[in-house]
Amino acid sequence: MATKRLVVGLAVGLVAVAAGAAAAASPEDLERRMEQLQREMQELREQLEAEKKARRPATPLAPPTGAPATPEGAEPSEPTYRSLLDAVKIGGYGSVRFESNTLDRGSDTFTFRRFVLTTDARIARPLRFGLELELERFTELELERKTAPRAGGGLESTEAIEGSAETEISLEQAWLEWELARWLRYRAGMLLVPLGRFNLAHDDNRWNLPRRPLIDRGVPVLPVPSAWSEVGMGFTGEVDLGGPGTLSYHLYVVNGVTLDTELERRVETRAGDTGKLEVEAELRPTRGTAGLDLKNGKAVTGRLAWSPLPGQEIGASFYVGRYTPEFLAGELLTGFGVDGLFTLGPFEVEAEYLHTRFANVRRVARSLARVALEKSREGEVDDLETEVEFDLAGLAETKHGYWIELRYRLFPDWLRRSFLGRAFDRPQLVPTLRWEQAWLDGRVRAVDFTGGALTGFEQEDRTVNRITAGLAYRPLPLVVFQLAYEYTWTDRGKSLAEVTNFLPAQRKERDVGAFLVGVAFGF
């Protein structure tokens, strides 16, 4: 009974502490604290269960006829479904956004940004499984296939694929963790790459602005836009330093980024001329495969973070690995990042700097020329003109940039008394300001080759800037309603269309203002 009272007392105390801290803590801090509380509660639960078993009298394998199924003094076993509910936690997050901008073709639009289903399963005390499955801008995906004999002999096969534009289904995380100690957890599977703090904490409902940072998504400086994951193995853990705080780390070996082929097909009908079928094969950086590694070379990545107090963290991260497939010259991709979070009462400052380098991009272009021989080939058969073209995309000798975000959490009395606060314990208003810049130095703009020789190679240096001001309303820590205005611009005389992946800018549009309304939720 003493242990049971201890468990109940600790549970009540922990809940009270968590509730008090929630007033000034960010969603990320709350999640970290709740994971720690869950681990402590699990240890106490196991201790209580061990004492129950020690007190339970021995029972025969089969009770005698007419005897009760549970011997007197013994407690009935816990239902299986209760054990399952304790072991498996189903959650997720999602977000929706409305956008209106000043671009010529920037029509007002609603975007179902993503829905992510998460699972956290405690298979046994030391074994844990994590899963994130993302449906991005997804409405439907349908495949129809039919094979039937023809009336005059032979077979006829048809195939049709239906789906919405810009749809993506992505396995963001799927890993098994074996906790050998709190400071040593072995993890294997589909892992988030720990290059920068945002990629590890990218859930939409954690953030107060409805657009992800430029260097993580919109330009990006990350070799693959966030959320970037790779198949691999490694270790993660936390070390309690006592007074100086806590050290946490991730260290993984993964398949890593590779230049992979993206095929784009375009069909044109032209008045007074033949039709045209154009196929462009772009080699661009993508996350590594989940099967046979195209480059037969692994990458190493890691992050070390020091948290002296809750709400305070300083981190450093790195990435090193080959990025070219086997049929091209072997070259390295290197990256590093520095990030931090500082909290003082309701005031928060969060920032991240990332730097990546694709080594010897000119040599890679020469290697592509030797393999592909011709940049493009054209032909015409009857009324159809065809063109096949090879190109490099998404490469720059150096990409680097940063973002810094200022937040202030408000708990005004009028908010609690209004309809925005009556149904919630601690609603928040969070004014937010984010400043960000990204530089693309030695960006590959054009590549030309013929007869296996590189005949043209054009590079440029580019800059993208953005400032965003917003106001977030959080009725609960994991639910947020967002309003924001952002202004984005690039070099004078240049176009945003060439360097951003989120704006439908035209060739002469170098700046854009956008009004955003967002909703994000977690459960």
Side-chain angles (χ1 to χ4, degrees), residues 191-261:
L191 310 169
L192 285 174
V193 177
L195 185 57
R197 65 180 290 109
F198 186 88
N199 200 57
L200 291 175
H202 59 268
D203 300 5
D204 292 338
N205 62 300
R206 295 187 179 196
W207 300 89
N208 298 303
L209 298 178
R211 183 110 69 188
R212 291 181 173 181
L214 283 176
I215 63 173
D216 294 286
R217 186 77 180 182
V219 171
V221 171
L222 277 181
V224 178
S226 182
W228 171 26
S229 57
E230 297 281 353
V231 177
M233 301 178 181
F235 294 91
T236 181
E238 300 169 358
V239 179
D240 190 356
L241 302 177
T246 303
L247 274 180
S248 61
Y249 75 94
H250 299 77
L251 183 62
Y252 301 140
V253 178
V254 297
N255 276 346
V257 170
T258 184
L259 291 181
D260 201 2
T261 305

Side-chain angles (χ1 to χ4, degrees), residues 77-88:
S77 60
E78 191 176 42
T80 303
Y81 73 88
R82 289 294 303 276
S83 299
L84 183 62
L85 289 176
D86 288 341
V88 181

Side-chain angles (χ1 to χ4, degrees), residues 181-475:
R182 186 186 174 193
W183 63 272
L184 188 64
R185 303 187 190 110
Y186 173 74
R187 190 175 285 186
M190 185 71 76
L191 310 169
L192 285 174
V193 177
L195 185 57
R197 65 180 290 109
F198 186 88
N199 200 57
L200 291 175
H202 59 268
D203 300 5
D204 292 338
N205 62 300
R206 295 187 179 196
W207 300 89
N208 298 303
L209 298 178
R211 183 110 69 188
R212 291 181 173 181
L214 283 176
I215 63 173
D216 294 286
R217 186 77 180 182
V219 171
V221 171
L222 277 181
V224 178
S226 182
W228 171 26
S229 57
E230 297 281 353
V231 177
M233 301 178 181
F235 294 91
T236 181
E238 300 169 358
V239 179
D240 190 356
L241 302 177
T246 303
L247 274 180
S248 61
Y249 75 94
H250 299 77
L251 183 62
Y252 301 140
V253 178
V254 297
N255 276 346
V257 170
T258 184
L259 291 181
D260 201 2
T261 305
E262 179 180 291
L263 291 177
E264 180 180 333
R265 298 178 179 87
R266 184 163 58 248
V267 179
E268 298 180 7
T269 59
R270 300 177 291 189
D273 200 352
T274 60
K276 184 177 182 180
L277 171 63
E278 182 178 338
V279 180
E280 183 176 6
E282 284 189 341
L283 270 72
R284 64 171 59 247
T286 63
R287 71 178 182 177
T289 65
L292 184 65
D293 190 358
L294 299 176
K295 49 189 173 46
N296 195 26
K298 302 299 171 281
V300 180
T301 181
R303 181 174 182 266
L304 180 66
W306 174 49
S307 178
L309 294 168
Q312 323 286 337
E313 185 177 87
I314 299 174
S317 52
F318 75 95
Y319 177 97
V320 180
R322 175 173 171 164
Y323 72 93
T324 51
E326 285 190 303
F327 60 84
L328 297 180
E331 298 295 346
L332 282 181
L333 165 64
T334 57
F336 69 88
V338 179
D339 55 70
L341 171 67
F342 175 77
T343 303
L344 181 61
F347 181 71
E348 297 176 3
V349 180
E350 190 165 4
E352 178 184 67
Y353 172 82
L354 293 177
H355 183 286
T356 58
R357 182 175 183 272
F358 292 86
N360 297 319
V361 292
R362 182 183 289 270
R363 185 175 175 221
V364 173
R366 288 198 189 98
S367 182
L368 175 62
R370 286 194 298 270
V371 174
L373 299 179
E374 300 291 339
K375 176 179 172 65
S376 63
R377 285 189 178 275
E378 298 183 17
E380 188 172 332
V381 178
D382 297 330
D383 292 332
L384 181 64
E385 177 186 343
T386 61
E387 180 180 352
V388 179
E389 182 174 340
F390 287 89
D391 208 349
L392 288 174
L395 288 183
E397 289 182 353
T398 300
K399 299 181 180 183
H400 62 112
Y402 69 93
W403 56 265
I404 181 168
E405 188 170 296
L406 309 179
R407 301 186 287 263
Y408 193 84
R409 298 179 181 273
L410 302 173
F411 318 95
D413 290 337
W414 66 262
L415 179 63
R416 302 175 192 177
R417 294 192 299 266
S418 71
F419 74 96
L420 295 174
R422 293 193 193 105
F424 309 104
D425 293 333
R426 293 288 288 176
Q428 300 178 3
L429 290 177
V430 191
T432 303
L433 181 67
R434 181 194 287 166
W435 168 256
E436 47 193 324
Q437 290 184 291
W439 292 272
L440 309 177
D441 299 334
R443 173 181 173 268
V444 178
R445 185 177 181 183
V447 175
D448 199 10
F449 51 89
T450 184
L454 187 66
T455 58
F457 187 75
E458 185 178 345
Q459 294 177 279
E460 65 174 356
D461 296 339
R462 296 293 303 276
T463 305
V464 182
N465 315 277
R466 186 167 69 191
I467 185 169
T468 308
L471 178 64
Y473 161 59
R474 287 188 175 273

